[in-house]
Amino acid sequence: MPRPGDRGAAWQRCRAVLSAAIDITCAALLIAVPSDPDLLLGAAYVCMKLRRPRQAYEAVARLSATVVGQLAQPDRTARQMTKIAAAICAWGQRVEAKDVLRKAIAMAPQFAAPRLALACLLEEELRAAGASASVGQWLERESLLRKSMAESPHLAAPRIALASCLQEMVRYLETQPVSERSNAPVHQVEAEDLLREAIVAEPHLAAPRLALADCLLASRRYVEAEAVAAAAVQCCPSSPELRLALARIQFQLRRFEDAARTIEALLAITPGHAWAWFEYGKVLRNSFYRLGQADRAFERAGDLAGNDGALLAGVAQQFLYDLHYRKAAKFYERLLNAVPGMRENFVICRHYATSLREMGRTDEAADLIVAALESCRRAAKRAAGEGLELLKLEEALLLHEAGRSEDSDQTLQSINRIAVSSPCYERSEYLPGTPERLQRLAEIVGSRDVFVMLQGPSFAAFAARLEEFADFEFAVATLNSFPPVEQELRRIGRQADVLLFAQPGSVRSWHSELTEFLARPAANVVVTNRYALYGFSEFGVSESEFIARHDERLLLVHSDGGPPLPSRPLHFENGSSLSLLIPLLLFARPRRIFLFGADGGSNPSFSKRPYFYYDDYDVDAEPQAFLNRSDMISFRALPGRLEEHNRRLRIDAINADRIMGAALRSLEANLGIQIPPIFNVCPHSIHRVFPRIDINTALAELTCGRHSQGHRAA
């Protein structure tokens, strides 16, 4: 009697014999079939049924140009070839599938199906290739979509598809060297024109209006985007996607209550819209509208997400940032179960491991990190250039999460060895001449100590002893709501040298003071990003006009995609303004840095105010004048609002420490920037990444002028 192992071996032999027989049959069929289009396509169909995509392709490849010209029904033949191409592609033979589709297009130029199928294949490949895609691929896809549009001049869909292609091409060109970006503005203008034409062609459709609103939003033209989205909602009131787009635009404009009402109207129509609940949570988390309900909105979004990996990841990330580790772990686990392929996503696994470690599930976290490291290193073997830098950075972050600090530092240092050149400042996210702008920043600091002055309540204690600092030599850096800080500095004849504003709300609140700052005869620098520059458009000045007026004083950074790397040295991780300012100041090579007013939340000595320049919330006095300014928030008689404000500041401070720690390690390892001594002059501060000292210790440090050891970020 045969044993089970013998049966398995016999079955394998039978499979091999059968496979060889099928190969022989397909080869014989290809030899025997004449060069007749119908017979060749029939042979290809048989080969596909026998799971031989290569032989199917060889059958189609025999269709010669001479035969094609004799076809009585080219559209019918092209349709069959499109189906065969789809089957060949399903077996992973994309090159052959594209070749079949190109033959079908040549055979029936007016038939849309193969052209659209080829355009879809090219789109997938372009997205996968990213910055390494070839110009030829983009041009072929653009040509296909232009032909589709020419054949359907009265339809919106072809225009939307071509506009999407042009917008993606713009994003691709922005990653290329400066010399290759010249056509990007032309493509952007054409994409917008196409979408407006699509609306005219079919004004009752929601799709072209949604696409135009998204196009304007991506270009940071928020007011125009809002007008388009609002008109679209009026035209198509039953479209939840249009209401969601309008809410997202209102969120970017920081009109949180308007955004909340828009989403509430959407949920009244479609209460199970998962992404609407997610956006609602973001709005509530950033506003003081309906306190305490943001977490419920995020959980509702996660519960409705189903197998939507992007949404589950977004919900989990929100809870991770908010330090709700159990909820974050819950949705990361649900994500990995719903989308098993996410187990190969090392960023997701690192975040999940962080959540598990904070919950005390250290063994599970360690196993995740091991698997994520293997996945990350496999990806690194296939990468080059900026992509390889990012993967090595991720490997370093994984090692740091695993507690292997020395290995993490060595991996970070290896990035500098694989970088193709010196730090790359010629990027579309930065301004031309950025190295010279950084040199100007260094000249303004002049190797002095830098006092970073924030608006936390403890700044009041520093201000009370300000005269004791008058004789020291230092540069001043501050951010956002800077006029109250400068009002105190005037008592000792000082003013800010470096100003960071990172969101348009600061422009709205302090526009006249910011304009005056830029017009001063004294040398100073304004550090900002493109999102914040939008704020000037509300005062009739476009981004390009503002840059042209104040070019010499501006330094543009990118507040996403950090920490800094040789290929993107001024990219910083998204977080609080402080988490951007401190790493940036290191480019100026200061002697030391002293932080004042960096409480990171409530101060026990000033527990009834959010910032040093506010009155206590229970004071019996006239409201302060600055509260009438746009985007300024009142806490008068609202202790619950102050408590929520301090809770958010604490969360931001803890995340800022993590972000600054990673940024400083990367700057030291990859850009050769030494970390100077950095002191936080606030003994009770939530920030722990730098030594916390009191004012007396700060004065002693300044008086003796001794050089402390550089404080490595924790």
Side-chain angles (χ1 to χ4, degrees):
M1 183 175 180
R3 290 173 295 181
D6 295 336
R7 289 177 180 174
W11 173 242
Q12 291 296 327
R13 287 194 295 273
C14 288
R15 284 175 60 90
V17 170
L18 180 60
S19 178
I22 292 173
D23 288 340
I24 293 170
T25 301
C26 288
L29 179 62
L30 292 179
I31 293 171
V33 71
S35 295
D36 178 85
D38 290 335
L39 294 176
L40 286 170
L41 292 176
Y45 181 77
V46 170
C47 291
M48 287 307 308
K49 283 293 185 181
L50 293 173
R51 300 185 176 187
R52 292 298 183 271
R54 181 67 196 179
Q55 286 84 343
Y57 166 70
E58 290 173 0
V60 177
R62 285 176 56 189
L63 286 170
S64 66
T66 305
V67 171
V68 167
Q70 300 171 357
L71 291 174
Q73 294 180 300
D75 287 4
R76 174 176 167 273
T77 304
R79 181 181 291 107
Q80 291 175 308
M81 293 175 68
T82 303
K83 292 179 180 178
I84 292 171
I88 292 173
C89 185
W91 280 90
Q93 300 195 17
R94 299 177 67 90
V95 173
E96 292 80 0
K98 288 188 292 182
D99 191 42
V100 171
L101 290 170
R102 291 185 182 109
K103 283 182 176 293
I105 293 168
M107 183 179 302
Q110 306 305 316
F111 187 56
R115 188 166 53 247
L116 293 176
L118 180 56
C120 288
L121 277 178
L122 290 170
E123 179 183 9
E124 292 172 4
E125 292 179 356
L126 287 166
R127 287 184 176 175
S132 61
S134 69
V135 175
Q137 289 174 293
W138 283 107
L139 293 177
E140 182 178 14
R141 182 171 176 241
E142 179 188 350
S143 175
L144 292 167
L145 293 172
R146 287 191 185 280
K147 289 177 182 176
S148 295
M149 188 182 75
E151 291 172 6
S152 306
H154 304 299
L155 296 180
R159 285 180 166 80
I160 296 172
L162 178 56
S164 175
C165 174
L166 293 173
Q167 288 176 278
E168 290 171 12
M169 194 182 298
V170 168
R171 289 190 284 272
Y172 163 75
L173 290 173
E174 287 177 346
T175 67
Q176 302 305 301
V178 175
S179 59
E180 298 179 23
R181 297 180 203 155
S182 57
N183 287 331
V186 177
H187 292 322
Q188 186 65 40
V189 170
E190 184 182 3
E192 183 181 334
D193 290 343
L194 285 166
L195 293 173
R196 294 188 187 280
E197 291 172 9
I199 293 173
V200 173
E202 298 190 76
H204 60 285
L205 291 183
R209 296 175 183 273
L210 178 61
L212 179 58
D214 287 341
C215 174
L216 295 169
L217 178 61
S219 300
R220 297 180 298 278
R221 292 159 59 186
Y222 300 110
V223 171
E224 294 174 74
E226 183 185 25
V228 168
V233 169
Q234 292 295 318
C235 178
C236 309
S238 62
S239 170
E241 300 310 318
L242 284 173
R243 292 183 186 272
L244 189 60
L246 176 58
R248 285 170 171 158
I249 295 165
Q250 291 167 331
F251 178 83
Q252 291 296 320
L253 286 166
R254 301 183 65 80
R255 298 219 314 272
F256 299 125
E257 292 192 17
D258 289 343
R261 283 191 287 268
T262 299
I263 296 179
E264 286 164 0
L266 188 165
L267 292 172
I269 300 170
T270 314
H273 197 297
W275 277 101
W277 282 105
F278 179 71
E279 295 295 335
Y280 194 39
K282 286 171 57 180
V283 169
L284 297 180
R285 188 189 176 280
N286 284 274
S287 72
F288 291 97
Y289 183 84
R290 301 191 185 282
L291 294 181
Q293 294 191 23
D295 285 0
R296 295 177 200 162
F298 286 133
E299 289 201 80
R300 180 68 172 148
D303 291 340
L304 292 168
N307 293 334
D308 189 333
L311 181 52
L312 286 168
V315 170
Q317 179 62 32
Q318 289 289 337
F319 282 126
L320 178 61
Y321 185 89
D322 285 345
L323 314 179
H324 293 324
Y325 299 114
R326 291 189 182 279
K327 292 180 180 179
K330 167 186 168 182
F331 287 104
Y332 279 126
E333 182 178 7
R334 190 175 296 179
L335 168 63
L336 297 186
N337 290 333
V339 189
M342 280 292 180
R343 294 184 183 277
E344 294 293 311
N345 187 315
F346 30 83
V347 177
I348 292 293
C349 290
R350 173 166 58 84
H351 291 163
Y352 186 19
T354 299
S355 304
L356 293 174
R357 175 177 54 78
E358 292 288 348
M359 293 166 57
R361 293 163 60 181
T362 53
D363 290 344
E364 294 173 75
D367 290 343
L368 269 173
I369 292 296
V370 169
L373 277 168
E374 292 177 358
S375 177
C376 183
R377 286 165 176 163
R378 282 197 303 272
K381 291 177 181 178
R382 305 186 299 270
E386 183 176 341
L388 181 56
E389 288 184 25
L390 290 168
L391 287 166
K392 297 302 287 185
L393 170 64
E394 182 57 35
E395 181 182 346
L397 293 173
L398 286 164
L399 290 166
H400 189 75
E401 173 62 32
R404 297 164 57 182
S405 298
E406 290 187 9
D407 292 340
S408 177
D409 290 343
Q410 290 175 5
T411 302
L412 271 179
Q413 291 163 8
S414 74
I415 296 175
N416 198 36
R417 295 193 294 271
I418 63 175
V420 294
S421 62
S422 57
C424 177
Y425 294 104
E426 289 191 354
R427 297 183 62 107
S428 61
E429 298 95 334
Y430 313 152
L431 290 175
T434 289
E436 291 75 20
R437 298 172 193 274
L438 289 171
Q439 178 60 34
R440 194 175 305 124
L441 173 65
E443 291 169 358
I444 289 172
V445 170
S447 300
R448 294 179 290 172
D449 292 326
V450 174
F451 284 14
V452 175
M453 298 188 175
L454 309 184
Q455 296 83 8
S458 67
F459 188 87
F462 167 70
R465 300 178 62 178
L466 188 59
E467 286 77 7
E468 298 178 55
F469 293 84
D471 294 332
F472 295 112
E473 186 63 26
F474 56 87
V476 175
T478 186
L479 47 79
N480 298 331
S481 295
F482 71 99
V485 170
E486 287 208 317
Q487 184 175 342
E488 298 295 333
L489 286 173
R490 290 192 192 100
R491 291 162 38 205
I492 58 171
R494 301 292 183 95
Q495 58 188 9
D497 302 289
V498 180
L499 170 62
L500 166 69
F501 65 97
Q503 46 94 357
S506 300
V507 179
R508 295 192 195 110
S509 300
W510 307 102
H511 175 259
S512 60
E513 290 84 354
L514 182 54
T515 302
E516 184 273 330
F517 182 90
L518 287 161
R520 290 175 184 173
N524 57 30
V525 171
V526 168
V527 182
T528 186
N529 56 34
R530 295 193 185 277
Y531 173 53
L533 288 180
Y534 164 74
F536 289 97
S537 67
E538 299 181 22
F539 297 90
V541 180
S542 69
E543 176 185 305
S544 58
E545 290 171 333
F546 179 82
I547 291 173
R549 289 182 190 178
H550 306 291
D551 182 58
E552 291 187 358
R553 295 178 186 259
L554 295 181
L555 176 61
L556 203 63
V557 299
H558 192 66
S559 50
D560 198 9
L565 292 170
S567 62
R568 49 208 303 178
L570 293 182
H571 277 53
F572 300 92
E573 189 174 344
N574 190 16
S576 70
S577 297
L578 178 64
S579 66
L580 190 161
L581 180 59
I582 294 298
L584 176 71
L585 285 173
L586 268 58
F587 284 85
R589 303 320 200 261
R591 182 186 180 195
R592 293 171 296 188
I593 296 177
F594 293 83
L595 279 72
F596 297 91
D599 298 74
S602 178
N603 183 301
S605 300
F606 305 94
S607 60
K608 295 183 179 182
R609 64 181 65 175
Y611 301 110
F612 83 91
Y613 57 94
Y614 270 70
D615 288 334
D616 290 350
Y617 67 77
D618 59 354
V619 71
D620 184 15
E622 289 293 319
Q624 294 168 284
F626 66 78
L627 291 173
N628 294 320
R629 293 172 179 255
S630 176
D631 275 35
M632 298 302 290
I633 300 171
S634 174
F635 294 85
R636 180 65 61 87
L638 295 169
R641 177 178 288 187
L642 179 60
E643 182 180 356
E644 172 64 13
H645 171 80
N646 286 329
R647 185 189 72 84
R648 295 178 187 180
L649 287 182
R650 176 181 174 276
I651 290 170
D652 287 343
I654 293 171
N655 281 287
D657 282 0
R658 170 185 55 80
I659 293 169
M660 288 188 288
L664 268 55
R665 287 192 297 272
S666 186
L667 287 172
E668 189 171 34
N670 296 311
L671 300 180
I673 296 178
Q674 295 299 310
I675 312 302
I678 303 176
F679 302 100
N680 182 2
V681 190
C682 183
H684 71 273
S685 174
I686 297 297
H687 292 281
R688 306 296 175 90
V689 70
F690 308 122
R692 296 175 297 172
I693 62 175
D694 59 21
I695 291 178
N696 290 330
T697 305
L699 285 166
E701 282 280 344
L702 290 162
T703 300
C704 69
R706 65 176 179 268
H707 288 276
S708 303
Q709 293 294 317
H711 296 291
R712 181 177 294 277

